[in-house]
Amino acid sequence: MDGDARVIVDTLWVVIAACLVFFMNAGFAMLETGLCQAKNAVNVLAKNFVVFAVSSIAFWVVGFGLMYGDGNGFAGLTGWFLHGADNSPATGEAYTGIFSALNWTGVPLDAKFFFQLVFAGTAATIVSGAVAERIKFISFIVFSFVLVAVIYPVGGHWAWGGGWLAQLSTPFADFAGSTVVHSIGGWAALTGALILGPRLGKYGKDGSIRPVPGHNMSLATLGTLILWLGWFGFNPGSTMAADAAMITKVALNTNMAAAAGCLLATATSWIVLKKPDLSMILNGTLAGLVAITAGCNAVGLASAVIIGAVAGVLVVVAVIVIDQKAKIDDPVGAISVHLVNGVWGTLAVGLFASEGGLFLGGGVARTVSQIIGIAAIGALVGAVSSAVWLLLKLTLGIRVSEEEEFEGLDTGEHGMEAYPSPLPPPFEAAPAATTGNAMLEAQPRAANG
Amino acid sequence: MKKIESIIRPHLLDAVKNALQEIGVVGLTVTEVKGFGRQKGHTETYRGSEYKIDFLPKVKIEVVIPEEMLDLAIDAIQKTARTGKFGDGKIFVLPVEEVVRIRTGERGELAL
Ligand SMILES: Nc1ncnc2c1ncn2[C@@H]1O[C@H](COP(=O)(O)OP(=O)(O)OP(=O)(O)O)[C@@H](O)[C@H]1O
Ligand SMILES: [Mg+2]
């Protein structure tokens, strides 16, 4: 293929993959709405909808520059508003510009930005589920902005932007973002859920635990299927090149891990909880997807199945431990899916990588680098997002009033309901006594009951 | 005149309605209700925690009939609403003092 055609094909692939990842916003929205109560549906939908708009602006203004602009080992220091020298799609030695960390992919800068943006948006949307049904809308918006403008890009710079984790003698490996996207979102979700506290009545003073069933399992299921589809952009797209062998390998690894996660979560909940809980089946599928995200390019098919299977078991155990032992209220299981399995999937690269994996005789070097990356990014995001949540708590406030939480955030935050009862017809429209009677008499009897 | 209020399983509403129509009932009112009997609801699980459903969905049928139709109607309801399992419901019978048909002004049994 000549150079121009190569650029066109790679760009098409990157943009199509980005569109699939964009569509994951719909998946997250449906999943979270379904697993929350009807009285909060408008609020959940609004959060999931605006979060991508917030991310788009935040990532453009500073996020992308902090993540991929040339700088030091800890942060990018140029490229605000996507400004600066750049001769993409030139690659490697031929590249001159300020986004050197992305000089390996031969697509225009705008394609690089668009693809990275939908990833940043995903990290932000993960937080939404864990803080659902009690967070103030405005505080969620502000937190999302800070997450995508600063927290995600700095962590991302360390791993993907040529930062210190990428410069380790055995570089930290996270192909599509088990850590960079999912754990970062997961750590932010965990700190948010902790600082907010549980939903009212979720944990009784006597130690009792009150489950809060989701109001629409059909939406939750649809949302999860959309996410599964979106992952075929998320992982295979991270090649950022139409590399036939690699994108198909990654797609297949991704699918098999999801399948294994789904089945093992089904089995685990069947055995441990006596019945195969659908919400666990959905979480298990996502857990498999999150876990394979880091290593989908680096492991064989059988390893992908094992990684997904472990994820399916882990997620069910994590949901139960987090909900019932730690008493951290996470309505959709975001922490169990994205944080626990983001960590597992990142670690699994060290264990299962075809080249250098511990279990494949490659020694411990890769595993050590993975652990360093997991811990460093965990510490960064845990500390900074805790600080941001606490600052918001002291200023705007992060929690709606008890009264509002009881009535539902739909009326409290938005003044509307997702499922309003039908209004009675306006008074003027009712037939006046005399003419109304005549009309009724004229109709066939059956119509009047 | 008597009013029969019966609480039945929602899925048997059609069968009960048909049985009542067959014995000559000309009108009835149906409401979706919730309630509990001696077993006091049941438990479900969600993500590993059990919770109690205190009130189960039922349907309430209200029908006002002439006194002489009472036994026939009770019989019709009991036969069609019964499955033999817990939660089949109840039939309550109440006296009715007066009925007015709003359109015509008729009163008493004529108004039924
Ligand atoms: N004493 C009552 N007063 C008002 N409603 C009642 C009464 N008993 C039952 N109901 C209504 O009838 C529904 C069905 O009751 P149910 O058949 O379970 O009664 P039960 O006494 O428990 O009989 P069974 O042992 O057959 O279940 C209840 O959900 C409730 O709505
Ligand atoms: Mg009963």
Side-chain angles (χ1 to χ4, degrees), chain A residues 73-106:
Chain A
F74 295 94
L77 298 169
T78 177
W80 324 121
F81 295 96
L82 210 52
H83 267 308
D86 182 273
N87 72 342
S88 303
T91 57
E93 296 288 293
Y95 176 82
T96 53
I98 58 163
F99 301 107
S100 328
L102 285 173
N103 72 7
W104 51 273
T105 164

PDB file of all heavy atoms in Angstrom, chain A residues 73-106:
ATOM      1  N   GLY A  73       8.898  13.611  32.923  1.00  0.00           N
ATOM      2  CA  GLY A  73       8.403  12.276  33.228  1.00  0.00           C
ATOM      3  C   GLY A  73       7.067  12.266  33.946  1.00  0.00           C
ATOM      4  O   GLY A  73       6.387  11.243  34.018  1.00  0.00           O
ATOM      5  N   PHE A  74       6.671  13.421  34.465  1.00  0.00           N
ATOM      6  CA  PHE A  74       5.466  13.456  35.287  1.00  0.00           C
ATOM      7  C   PHE A  74       4.261  14.111  34.619  1.00  0.00           C
ATOM      8  O   PHE A  74       3.126  13.823  34.970  1.00  0.00           O
ATOM      9  CB  PHE A  74       5.769  14.138  36.626  1.00  0.00           C
ATOM     10  CG  PHE A  74       6.735  13.339  37.442  1.00  0.00           C
ATOM     11  CD1 PHE A  74       8.091  13.603  37.397  1.00  0.00           C
ATOM     12  CD2 PHE A  74       6.283  12.269  38.199  1.00  0.00           C
ATOM     13  CE1 PHE A  74       8.992  12.827  38.123  1.00  0.00           C
ATOM     14  CE2 PHE A  74       7.175  11.480  38.927  1.00  0.00           C
ATOM     15  CZ  PHE A  74       8.537  11.754  38.883  1.00  0.00           C
ATOM     16  N   ALA A  75       4.501  14.991  33.666  1.00  0.00           N
ATOM     17  CA  ALA A  75       3.370  15.631  32.990  1.00  0.00           C
ATOM     18  C   ALA A  75       3.822  16.248  31.679  1.00  0.00           C
ATOM     19  O   ALA A  75       4.980  16.644  31.519  1.00  0.00           O
ATOM     20  CB  ALA A  75       2.764  16.719  33.877  1.00  0.00           C
ATOM     21  N   GLY A  76       2.884  16.313  30.732  1.00  0.00           N
ATOM     22  CA  GLY A  76       3.116  17.071  29.514  1.00  0.00           C
ATOM     23  C   GLY A  76       2.966  18.546  29.836  1.00  0.00           C
ATOM     24  O   GLY A  76       2.169  18.924  30.696  1.00  0.00           O
ATOM     25  N   LEU A  77       3.719  19.385  29.150  1.00  0.00           N
ATOM     26  CA  LEU A  77       3.717  20.811  29.517  1.00  0.00           C
ATOM     27  C   LEU A  77       3.462  21.710  28.319  1.00  0.00           C
ATOM     28  O   LEU A  77       3.779  22.899  28.339  1.00  0.00           O
ATOM     29  CB  LEU A  77       5.060  21.180  30.168  1.00  0.00           C
ATOM     30  CG  LEU A  77       5.366  20.435  31.477  1.00  0.00           C
ATOM     31  CD1 LEU A  77       6.806  20.644  31.915  1.00  0.00           C
ATOM     32  CD2 LEU A  77       4.394  20.855  32.572  1.00  0.00           C
ATOM     33  N   THR A  78       2.844  21.156  27.284  1.00  0.00           N
ATOM     34  CA  THR A  78       2.560  21.960  26.102  1.00  0.00           C
ATOM     35  C   THR A  78       1.362  21.341  25.371  1.00  0.00           C
ATOM     36  O   THR A  78       0.890  20.281  25.747  1.00  0.00           O
ATOM     37  CB  THR A  78       3.794  22.002  25.177  1.00  0.00           C
ATOM     38  OG1 THR A  78       3.476  22.738  24.014  1.00  0.00           O
ATOM     39  CG2 THR A  78       4.210  20.591  24.750  1.00  0.00           C
ATOM     40  N   GLY A  79       0.879  22.069  24.361  1.00  0.00           N
ATOM     41  CA  GLY A  79      -0.202  21.497  23.555  1.00  0.00           C
ATOM     42  C   GLY A  79      -1.589  21.834  24.058  1.00  0.00           C
ATOM     43  O   GLY A  79      -2.566  21.165  23.740  1.00  0.00           O
ATOM     44  N   TRP A  80      -1.692  22.923  24.842  1.00  0.00           N
ATOM     45  CA  TRP A  80      -3.027  23.342  25.313  1.00  0.00           C
ATOM     46  C   TRP A  80      -3.892  23.709  24.110  1.00  0.00           C
ATOM     47  O   TRP A  80      -3.406  24.228  23.113  1.00  0.00           O
ATOM     48  CB  TRP A  80      -2.928  24.538  26.274  1.00  0.00           C
ATOM     49  CG  TRP A  80      -1.706  24.490  27.175  1.00  0.00           C
ATOM     50  CD1 TRP A  80      -0.719  25.419  27.264  1.00  0.00           C
ATOM     51  CD2 TRP A  80      -1.346  23.445  28.091  1.00  0.00           C
ATOM     52  NE1 TRP A  80       0.230  25.021  28.171  1.00  0.00           N
ATOM     53  CE2 TRP A  80      -0.128  23.815  28.696  1.00  0.00           C
ATOM     54  CE3 TRP A  80      -1.933  22.225  28.452  1.00  0.00           C
ATOM     55  CZ2 TRP A  80       0.524  23.015  29.629  1.00  0.00           C
ATOM     56  CZ3 TRP A  80      -1.291  21.428  29.401  1.00  0.00           C
ATOM     57  CH2 TRP A  80      -0.082  21.822  29.978  1.00  0.00           C
ATOM     58  N   PHE A  81      -5.157  23.458  24.189  1.00  0.00           N
ATOM     59  CA  PHE A  81      -6.109  23.752  23.107  1.00  0.00           C
ATOM     60  C   PHE A  81      -5.669  23.099  21.792  1.00  0.00           C
ATOM     61  O   PHE A  81      -5.985  23.586  20.719  1.00  0.00           O
ATOM     62  CB  PHE A  81      -6.268  25.268  22.889  1.00  0.00           C
ATOM     63  CG  PHE A  81      -6.888  25.975  24.056  1.00  0.00           C
ATOM     64  CD1 PHE A  81      -6.103  26.598  25.016  1.00  0.00           C
ATOM     65  CD2 PHE A  81      -8.267  26.001  24.221  1.00  0.00           C
ATOM     66  CE1 PHE A  81      -6.668  27.241  26.092  1.00  0.00           C
ATOM     67  CE2 PHE A  81      -8.842  26.648  25.290  1.00  0.00           C
ATOM     68  CZ  PHE A  81      -8.048  27.274  26.240  1.00  0.00           C
ATOM     69  N   LEU A  82      -4.878  22.040  21.879  1.00  0.00           N
ATOM     70  CA  LEU A  82      -4.439  21.303  20.691  1.00  0.00           C
ATOM     71  C   LEU A  82      -3.571  22.175  19.781  1.00  0.00           C
ATOM     72  O   LEU A  82      -3.488  21.960  18.578  1.00  0.00           O
ATOM     73  CB  LEU A  82      -5.668  20.764  19.925  1.00  0.00           C
ATOM     74  CG  LEU A  82      -5.529  19.463  19.125  1.00  0.00           C
ATOM     75  CD1 LEU A  82      -4.947  18.346  19.993  1.00  0.00           C
ATOM     76  CD2 LEU A  82      -6.886  19.027  18.583  1.00  0.00           C
ATOM     77  N   HIS A  83      -2.928  23.181  20.386  1.00  0.00           N
ATOM     78  CA  HIS A  83      -2.069  24.077  19.610  1.00  0.00           C
ATOM     79  C   HIS A  83      -0.618  23.640  19.682  1.00  0.00           C
ATOM     80  O   HIS A  83      -0.164  23.127  20.697  1.00  0.00           O
ATOM     81  CB  HIS A  83      -2.159  25.516  20.162  1.00  0.00           C
ATOM     82  CG  HIS A  83      -3.193  26.319  19.452  1.00  0.00           C
ATOM     83  ND1 HIS A  83      -3.239  26.431  18.082  1.00  0.00           N
ATOM     84  CD2 HIS A  83      -4.231  27.043  19.922  1.00  0.00           C
ATOM     85  CE1 HIS A  83      -4.245  27.191  17.750  1.00  0.00           C
ATOM     86  NE2 HIS A  83      -4.889  27.567  18.842  1.00  0.00           N
ATOM     87  N   GLY A  84       0.119  23.876  18.602  1.00  0.00           N
ATOM     88  CA  GLY A  84       1.558  23.604  18.613  1.00  0.00           C
ATOM     89  C   GLY A  84       1.975  22.870  17.357  1.00  0.00           C
ATOM     90  O   GLY A  84       1.138  22.345  16.611  1.00  0.00           O
ATOM     91  N   ALA A  85       3.285  22.825  17.154  1.00  0.00           N
ATOM     92  CA  ALA A  85       3.820  22.196  15.949  1.00  0.00           C
ATOM     93  C   ALA A  85       3.490  20.716  15.926  1.00  0.00           C
ATOM     94  O   ALA A  85       3.507  20.046  16.966  1.00  0.00           O
ATOM     95  CB  ALA A  85       5.335  22.378  15.911  1.00  0.00           C
ATOM     96  N   ASP A  86       3.167  20.227  14.739  1.00  0.00           N
ATOM     97  CA  ASP A  86       2.853  18.797  14.613  1.00  0.00           C
ATOM     98  C   ASP A  86       2.748  18.470  13.136  1.00  0.00           C
ATOM     99  O   ASP A  86       1.968  19.112  12.414  1.00  0.00           O
ATOM    100  CB  ASP A  86       1.526  18.481  15.298  1.00  0.00           C
ATOM    101  CG  ASP A  86       1.207  16.999  15.224  1.00  0.00           C
ATOM    102  OD1 ASP A  86       0.601  16.575  14.217  1.00  0.00           O
ATOM    103  OD2 ASP A  86       1.583  16.270  16.157  1.00  0.00           O
ATOM    104  N   ASN A  87       3.552  17.508  12.657  1.00  0.00           N
ATOM    105  CA  ASN A  87       3.457  17.139  11.247  1.00  0.00           C
ATOM    106  C   ASN A  87       2.868  15.754  11.039  1.00  0.00           C
ATOM    107  O   ASN A  87       3.178  15.071  10.072  1.00  0.00           O
ATOM    108  CB  ASN A  87       4.824  17.274  10.542  1.00  0.00           C
ATOM    109  CG  ASN A  87       5.786  16.171  10.984  1.00  0.00           C
ATOM    110  OD1 ASN A  87       5.548  15.543  12.013  1.00  0.00           O
ATOM    111  ND2 ASN A  87       6.827  15.947  10.211  1.00  0.00           N
ATOM    112  N   SER A  88       2.001  15.317  11.980  1.00  0.00           N
ATOM    113  CA  SER A  88       1.277  14.060  11.769  1.00  0.00           C
ATOM    114  C   SER A  88       0.612  14.154  10.402  1.00  0.00           C
ATOM    115  O   SER A  88       0.201  15.252  10.003  1.00  0.00           O
ATOM    116  CB  SER A  88       0.196  13.875  12.824  1.00  0.00           C
ATOM    117  OG  SER A  88       0.737  13.911  14.109  1.00  0.00           O
ATOM    118  N   PRO A  89       0.442  13.088   9.699  1.00  0.00           N
ATOM    119  CA  PRO A  89       0.662  11.685  10.093  1.00  0.00           C
ATOM    120  C   PRO A  89       2.092  11.167   9.965  1.00  0.00           C
ATOM    121  O   PRO A  89       2.262   9.942   9.982  1.00  0.00           O
ATOM    122  CB  PRO A  89      -0.271  10.933   9.141  1.00  0.00           C
ATOM    123  CG  PRO A  89      -0.332  11.788   7.916  1.00  0.00           C
ATOM    124  CD  PRO A  89      -0.216  13.188   8.386  1.00  0.00           C
ATOM    125  N   ALA A  90       3.078  12.037   9.869  1.00  0.00           N
ATOM    126  CA  ALA A  90       4.451  11.527   9.845  1.00  0.00           C
ATOM    127  C   ALA A  90       4.732  10.773  11.147  1.00  0.00           C
ATOM    128  O   ALA A  90       4.236  11.155  12.206  1.00  0.00           O
ATOM    129  CB  ALA A  90       5.430  12.681   9.697  1.00  0.00           C
ATOM    130  N   THR A  91       5.522   9.697  11.029  1.00  0.00           N
ATOM    131  CA  THR A  91       5.780   8.887  12.232  1.00  0.00           C
ATOM    132  C   THR A  91       7.277   8.779  12.504  1.00  0.00           C
ATOM    133  O   THR A  91       8.107   9.096  11.651  1.00  0.00           O
ATOM    134  CB  THR A  91       5.222   7.449  12.059  1.00  0.00           C
ATOM    135  OG1 THR A  91       5.820   6.872  10.901  1.00  0.00           O
ATOM    136  CG2 THR A  91       3.720   7.438  11.935  1.00  0.00           C
ATOM    137  N   GLY A  92       7.585   8.306  13.686  1.00  0.00           N
ATOM    138  CA  GLY A  92       8.958   7.979  14.078  1.00  0.00           C
ATOM    139  C   GLY A  92       9.920   9.133  13.872  1.00  0.00           C
ATOM    140  O   GLY A  92       9.653  10.268  14.260  1.00  0.00           O
ATOM    141  N   GLU A  93      11.056   8.832  13.234  1.00  0.00           N
ATOM    142  CA  GLU A  93      12.098   9.825  13.001  1.00  0.00           C
ATOM    143  C   GLU A  93      11.583  11.000  12.173  1.00  0.00           C
ATOM    144  O   GLU A  93      12.006  12.139  12.362  1.00  0.00           O
ATOM    145  CB  GLU A  93      13.276   9.181  12.238  1.00  0.00           C
ATOM    146  CG  GLU A  93      13.990   8.088  13.019  1.00  0.00           C
ATOM    147  CD  GLU A  93      14.815   8.662  14.157  1.00  0.00           C
ATOM    148  OE1 GLU A  93      15.813   9.351  13.882  1.00  0.00           O
ATOM    149  OE2 GLU A  93      14.449   8.429  15.337  1.00  0.00           O
ATOM    150  N   ALA A  94      10.631  10.717  11.279  1.00  0.00           N
ATOM    151  CA  ALA A  94      10.118  11.761  10.391  1.00  0.00           C
ATOM    152  C   ALA A  94       9.215  12.746  11.119  1.00  0.00           C
ATOM    153  O   ALA A  94       8.897  13.820  10.601  1.00  0.00           O
ATOM    154  CB  ALA A  94       9.357  11.127   9.229  1.00  0.00           C
ATOM    155  N   TYR A  95       8.773  12.384  12.328  1.00  0.00           N
ATOM    156  CA  TYR A  95       7.839  13.243  13.055  1.00  0.00           C
ATOM    157  C   TYR A  95       8.560  14.435  13.664  1.00  0.00           C
ATOM    158  O   TYR A  95       9.602  14.296  14.303  1.00  0.00           O
ATOM    159  CB  TYR A  95       7.137  12.453  14.171  1.00  0.00           C
ATOM    160  CG  TYR A  95       6.220  13.319  15.010  1.00  0.00           C
ATOM    161  CD1 TYR A  95       4.929  13.620  14.584  1.00  0.00           C
ATOM    162  CD2 TYR A  95       6.667  13.875  16.216  1.00  0.00           C
ATOM    163  CE1 TYR A  95       4.102  14.441  15.331  1.00  0.00           C
ATOM    164  CE2 TYR A  95       5.843  14.700  16.967  1.00  0.00           C
ATOM    165  CZ  TYR A  95       4.561  14.973  16.524  1.00  0.00           C
ATOM    166  OH  TYR A  95       3.740  15.782  17.265  1.00  0.00           O
ATOM    167  N   THR A  96       8.016  15.615  13.439  1.00  0.00           N
ATOM    168  CA  THR A  96       8.495  16.776  14.187  1.00  0.00           C
ATOM    169  C   THR A  96       7.278  17.462  14.772  1.00  0.00           C
ATOM    170  O   THR A  96       6.312  17.750  14.065  1.00  0.00           O
ATOM    171  CB  THR A  96       9.239  17.785  13.289  1.00  0.00           C
ATOM    172  OG1 THR A  96       8.394  18.112  12.184  1.00  0.00           O
ATOM    173  CG2 THR A  96      10.552  17.231  12.788  1.00  0.00           C
ATOM    174  N   GLY A  97       7.324  17.694  16.058  1.00  0.00           N
ATOM    175  CA  GLY A  97       6.175  18.329  16.701  1.00  0.00           C
ATOM    176  C   GLY A  97       6.258  18.133  18.195  1.00  0.00           C
ATOM    177  O   GLY A  97       7.263  17.641  18.723  1.00  0.00           O
ATOM    178  N   ILE A  98       5.204  18.554  18.872  1.00  0.00           N
ATOM    179  CA  ILE A  98       5.239  18.580  20.337  1.00  0.00           C
ATOM    180  C   ILE A  98       4.508  17.406  20.978  1.00  0.00           C
ATOM    181  O   ILE A  98       4.452  17.300  22.195  1.00  0.00           O
ATOM    182  CB  ILE A  98       4.633  19.892  20.863  1.00  0.00           C
ATOM    183  CG1 ILE A  98       3.198  20.060  20.364  1.00  0.00           C
ATOM    184  CG2 ILE A  98       5.495  21.075  20.458  1.00  0.00           C
ATOM    185  CD1 ILE A  98       2.421  21.097  21.144  1.00  0.00           C
ATOM    186  N   PHE A  99       3.900  16.544  20.156  1.00  0.00           N
ATOM    187  CA  PHE A  99       3.210  15.381  20.721  1.00  0.00           C
ATOM    188  C   PHE A  99       4.000  14.112  20.393  1.00  0.00           C
ATOM    189  O   PHE A  99       3.478  13.161  19.814  1.00  0.00           O
ATOM    190  CB  PHE A  99       1.776  15.286  20.185  1.00  0.00           C
ATOM    191  CG  PHE A  99       0.935  16.496  20.495  1.00  0.00           C
ATOM    192  CD1 PHE A  99       0.598  17.400  19.488  1.00  0.00           C
ATOM    193  CD2 PHE A  99       0.475  16.740  21.783  1.00  0.00           C
ATOM    194  CE1 PHE A  99      -0.176  18.523  19.766  1.00  0.00           C
ATOM    195  CE2 PHE A  99      -0.307  17.864  22.071  1.00  0.00           C
ATOM    196  CZ  PHE A  99      -0.634  18.761  21.057  1.00  0.00           C
ATOM    197  N   SER A 100       5.288  14.100  20.777  1.00  0.00           N
ATOM    198  CA  SER A 100       6.163  12.987  20.383  1.00  0.00           C
ATOM    199  C   SER A 100       5.671  11.638  20.898  1.00  0.00           C
ATOM    200  O   SER A 100       5.913  10.605  20.275  1.00  0.00           O
ATOM    201  CB  SER A 100       7.572  13.194  20.923  1.00  0.00           C
ATOM    202  OG  SER A 100       7.888  14.546  20.999  1.00  0.00           O
ATOM    203  N   ALA A 101       4.976  11.651  22.025  1.00  0.00           N
ATOM    204  CA  ALA A 101       4.552  10.374  22.602  1.00  0.00           C
ATOM    205  C   ALA A 101       3.582   9.630  21.688  1.00  0.00           C
ATOM    206  O   ALA A 101       3.381   8.425  21.839  1.00  0.00           O
ATOM    207  CB  ALA A 101       3.910  10.605  23.969  1.00  0.00           C
ATOM    208  N   LEU A 102       2.971  10.365  20.758  1.00  0.00           N
ATOM    209  CA  LEU A 102       2.027   9.699  19.846  1.00  0.00           C
ATOM    210  C   LEU A 102       2.602   9.595  18.429  1.00  0.00           C
ATOM    211  O   LEU A 102       1.850   9.392  17.481  1.00  0.00           O
ATOM    212  CB  LEU A 102       0.693  10.463  19.811  1.00  0.00           C
ATOM    213  CG  LEU A 102      -0.209  10.278  21.040  1.00  0.00           C
ATOM    214  CD1 LEU A 102      -1.412  11.215  20.973  1.00  0.00           C
ATOM    215  CD2 LEU A 102      -0.691   8.831  21.141  1.00  0.00           C
ATOM    216  N   ASN A 103       3.925   9.688  18.302  1.00  0.00           N
ATOM    217  CA  ASN A 103       4.488   9.699  16.949  1.00  0.00           C
ATOM    218  C   ASN A 103       4.552   8.311  16.324  1.00  0.00           C
ATOM    219  O   ASN A 103       4.999   8.148  15.207  1.00  0.00           O
ATOM    220  CB  ASN A 103       5.881  10.371  16.927  1.00  0.00           C
ATOM    221  CG  ASN A 103       6.942   9.501  17.581  1.00  0.00           C
ATOM    222  OD1 ASN A 103       6.681   8.346  17.943  1.00  0.00           O
ATOM    223  ND2 ASN A 103       8.138  10.043  17.738  1.00  0.00           N
ATOM    224  N   TRP A 104       4.085   7.300  17.072  1.00  0.00           N
ATOM    225  CA  TRP A 104       4.114   5.930  16.544  1.00  0.00           C
ATOM    226  C   TRP A 104       2.919   5.614  15.660  1.00  0.00           C
ATOM    227  O   TRP A 104       2.894   4.618  14.954  1.00  0.00           O
ATOM    228  CB  TRP A 104       4.203   4.914  17.682  1.00  0.00           C
ATOM    229  CG  TRP A 104       3.152   5.126  18.759  1.00  0.00           C
ATOM    230  CD1 TRP A 104       3.251   5.942  19.846  1.00  0.00           C
ATOM    231  CD2 TRP A 104       1.846   4.542  18.807  1.00  0.00           C
ATOM    232  NE1 TRP A 104       2.094   5.903  20.582  1.00  0.00           N
ATOM    233  CE2 TRP A 104       1.221   5.046  19.967  1.00  0.00           C
ATOM    234  CE3 TRP A 104       1.144   3.635  18.003  1.00  0.00           C
ATOM    235  CZ2 TRP A 104      -0.076   4.678  20.337  1.00  0.00           C
ATOM    236  CZ3 TRP A 104      -0.138   3.264  18.366  1.00  0.00           C
ATOM    237  CH2 TRP A 104      -0.748   3.789  19.527  1.00  0.00           C
ATOM    238  N   THR A 105       1.866   6.462  15.719  1.00  0.00           N
ATOM    239  CA  THR A 105       0.686   6.146  14.915  1.00  0.00           C
ATOM    240  C   THR A 105       0.556   7.128  13.746  1.00  0.00           C
ATOM    241  O   THR A 105       0.658   8.350  13.937  1.00  0.00           O
ATOM    242  CB  THR A 105      -0.609   6.127  15.759  1.00  0.00           C
ATOM    243  OG1 THR A 105      -1.735   6.196  14.877  1.00  0.00           O
ATOM    244  CG2 THR A 105      -0.667   7.300  16.727  1.00  0.00           C
ATOM    245  N   GLY A 106       0.352   6.580  12.555  1.00  0.00           N
ATOM    246  CA  GLY A 106       0.384   7.386  11.344  1.00  0.00           C
ATOM    247  C   GLY A 106      -0.969   7.937  10.939  1.00  0.00           C
ATOM    248  O   GLY A 106      -1.436   7.711   9.825  1.00  0.00           O
TER     249      GLY A 106
END
